[in-house]
Amino acid sequence: MSKILFVMTGADHWTLADGTKHPTGFWAEEAVAPYEAFKEAGHEIVVATPGGVVPTVDRGSLAPEFNGGQEGADRVAAALDSITELQHPITLEDVDLDEYAAVFYPGGHGPMEDLAVDATSGRLLMDALESGKPLAVVCHGPSAMLAATKEDGGNAFAGYRVAAFTNAEETQAGLADKAKWLLETRLTEVGVDVRVGEPWAPHVVVDRNLVTGQNPASSAPLAAEVLKKLA
């Protein structure tokens, strides 16, 4: 049985442009859907966070309107409660990439707060990219790529085709005008080739060993692409 590393935010808020702390964390579907797919395929999951803190779920991501109704919300909440690995994360510093067959970064606004500026995570991303192992990142997870700075000052993901949460989606979610910066814009500024799909529709981009998804609906298709690479 091979192991897949889930690198998750340790933040429980996202600091907006006016200094307000917007409650957040990781997005439930983006952890649950890949977790279930990977476990069903026989893989072991290990969770790592900055400082080894237990990750916080964005309570909004458990709302019925984001899960196809109350029944779906209840299912996601129950699935989340059953993921015992979330309660026992290791620290990013303790990650030995050689132990893992693949690396996955779920989203939520939390990564915008911590992983976007976490040098340890940035080095892990660069090592995973260079290793050739499947590296999967979804929704706001690509904000972590901003910390993947090479010795020459360039971004390790410059030139890669990537899907990430778009400016249009952030605008429709009502947070674009409150944010310090927008993910699609910032990634583009460091040379990442952001491929934009329809808002809220599944959109997965595969470029070499990098598999990225645009939004929560992309998390299950993203997991399927990772499993293809591991087959």
Side-chain angles (χ1 to χ4, degrees), residues 29-96:
E29 181 183 358
E30 295 167 23
V32 168
Y35 177 90
E36 291 180 336
F38 296 152
K39 289 289 277 191
E40 187 176 334
H43 299 285
E44 182 182 341
I45 306 299
V46 175
V47 173
T49 63
V53 302
V54 173
T56 297
V57 64
D58 186 317
R59 303 306 301 179
S61 69
L62 298 174
E65 58 263 36
F66 294 121
N67 294 284
Q70 189 62 53
E71 185 177 336
D74 291 344
R75 193 198 75 79
V76 168
L80 205 57
D81 287 341
S82 73
I83 302 177
T84 56
E85 293 92 339
L86 289 171
Q87 302 304 316
H88 307 284
I90 64 173
T91 69
L92 292 177
E93 287 80 5
D94 287 337
V95 170
D96 179 355

Side-chain angles (χ1 to χ4, degrees), residues 177-194:
D177 61 346
K178 301 175 183 178
K180 289 182 180 178
W181 48 273
L182 297 177
L183 180 55
E184 178 191 332
T185 298
R186 186 63 65 86
L187 287 171
T188 302
E189 287 172 352
V190 299
V192 177
D193 181 6
V194 180

Side-chain angles (χ1 to χ4, degrees), residues 100-178:
Y100 302 96
V103 177
F104 170 57
Y105 278 66
H109 281 107
M112 302 273 281
E113 183 74 19
D114 59 357
L115 296 179
V117 293
D118 191 298
T120 303
S121 170
R123 284 193 298 273
L124 176 59
L125 281 168
M126 289 190 285
D127 290 345
L129 200 61
E130 292 171 6
S131 74
K133 297 176 181 183
L135 171 59
V137 195
V138 70
C139 200
H140 288 92
S143 60
M145 296 176 183
L146 297 170
T149 305
K150 300 186 294 185
E151 287 184 8
D152 64 7
N155 188 278
F157 292 89
Y160 275 81
R161 298 185 304 278
V162 165
F165 201 71
T166 64
N167 291 355
E169 287 166 322
E170 203 71 84
T171 299
Q172 291 175 21
L175 288 167
D177 61 346
K178 301 175 183 178

